């Protein structure tokens, strides 16, 4: 699948906003701590991916009822669903000047992941969190995502690379009183 930038302006994929708040002190401190153990941008990206995947539980897996959506809140509260974890990873990567996009798949509901730009190409990564039957890994040599769509069942990968979360995703997160409420309002389309 060919990934398509929502905007040709690569600087949009480095920008901070209310959701991808990579200028927040907690995001900056976390990025600096991770960067100390990285020899280069690729190593940093892998460390940031593993940090989000492995140290911030997916709230469905952990049973956490809280809903987070802002990157700094995800890092502070250490919980989030796929969208929130993608926001946190995007902020950590952009904090170190690595162009990062938000991207999506559709199953019964829309699933969020990210794409990083290295060597002139975009590479999708899924920081959702591993569990039995899910083994997402950071890779620039072929995707190893949490889930593969079954196109015969109507599931699909979306090729668009977003600089900011689509309104359908952000509205659902912001409006949710808790995760059970969110589960009833998750977007089924972008």
């Amino acid at each position: 699948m060919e990934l398509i930038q929502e905007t040709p302006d690569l600087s949009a994929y480095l920008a901070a906003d209310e959701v991808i708040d990579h200028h927040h002190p907690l995001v900056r401190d976390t990025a600096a701590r991770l960067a100390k153990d990285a020899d280069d941008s690729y190593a940093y990206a892998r460390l940031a991916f593993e940090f989000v995947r492995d140290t911030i539980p997916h709230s469905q897996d952990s049973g956490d009822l809280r809903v987070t959506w802002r990157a700094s809140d995800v890092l502070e509260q250490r919980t989030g669903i796929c969208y929130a974890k993608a926001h946190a990873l995007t902020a950590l990567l952009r904090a170190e000047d690595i162009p990062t996009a938000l991207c999506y798949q559709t199953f019964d509901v829309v699933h969020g992941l990210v794409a990083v730009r290295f060597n002139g190409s975009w590479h999708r990564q899924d920081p959702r969190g591993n569990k039995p039957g899910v083994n997402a890994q950071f890779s620039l040599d072929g995707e190893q995502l949490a889930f593969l769509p079954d196109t015969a069942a109507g599931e699909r990968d979306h090729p668009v690379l977003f600089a900011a979360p689509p309104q359908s995703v952000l509205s659902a997160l912001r409006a949710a009183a808790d995760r059970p409420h969110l589960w009833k309002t998750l977007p089924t389309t972008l």
Side-chain angles (χ1 to χ4, degrees):
M1 172 182 68
E2 181 182 348
L3 298 173
I4 303 164
Q5 289 180 208
E6 174 188 36
T7 175
D9 182 5
L10 198 57
S11 69
Y13 299 97
L14 292 168
D17 59 26
E18 182 183 17
V19 179
I20 312 299
D21 58 344
H22 64 75
H23 295 311
H24 188 281
L26 179 56
V27 177
R28 302 301 299 175
D29 290 348
T30 304
R33 193 171 59 253
L34 292 169
K36 286 181 188 176
D37 294 327
D39 294 332
D40 56 25
S41 293
Y42 172 80
Y44 173 81
R46 184 183 47 74
L47 287 171
F49 168 84
E50 291 171 352
F51 174 81
V52 173
R53 182 194 65 193
D54 298 343
T55 70
I56 300 172
H58 189 286
S59 58
Q60 175 70 20
D61 296 347
S62 68
D64 197 319
L65 299 180
R66 296 174 294 168
V67 175
T68 54
W69 54 270
R70 185 179 290 116
S72 57
D73 293 339
V74 175
L75 294 175
E76 178 185 6
Q77 296 180 38
R78 297 290 185 155
T79 190
I81 67 164
C82 61
Y83 310 134
K85 291 182 67 155
H87 298 164
L89 180 56
T90 298
L92 289 172
L93 294 172
R94 289 182 184 182
E96 291 294 316
D97 295 321
I98 298 170
T100 308
L102 298 162
C103 48
Y104 301 89
Q105 298 172 307
T106 298
F107 299 96
D108 291 335
V109 295
V110 175
H111 173 64
L113 37 120
V114 306
V116 295
R117 188 165 176 89
F118 278 104
N119 303 322
S121 297
W122 290 98
H123 307 273
R124 293 190 310 165
Q125 314 295 327
D126 192 340
R128 181 225 178 270
N130 290 339
K131 63 180 187 173
V134 175
N135 184 24
Q137 300 294 324
F138 185 85
S139 176
L140 302 182
D141 298 320
E143 297 179 339
Q144 190 165 345
L145 306 176
F147 309 110
L148 297 175
D150 178 354
T151 55
E155 299 173 349
R156 62 179 276 215
D157 285 310
H158 294 277
V160 176
L161 300 171
F162 293 88
Q167 195 58 46
S168 60
V169 168
L170 199 50
S171 294
L173 289 168
R174 284 182 170 162
D178 56 23
R179 188 177 36 77
H181 176 258
L182 178 62
W183 245 232
K184 296 175 187 171
T185 61
L186 285 173
T188 57
T189 61
L190 290 177

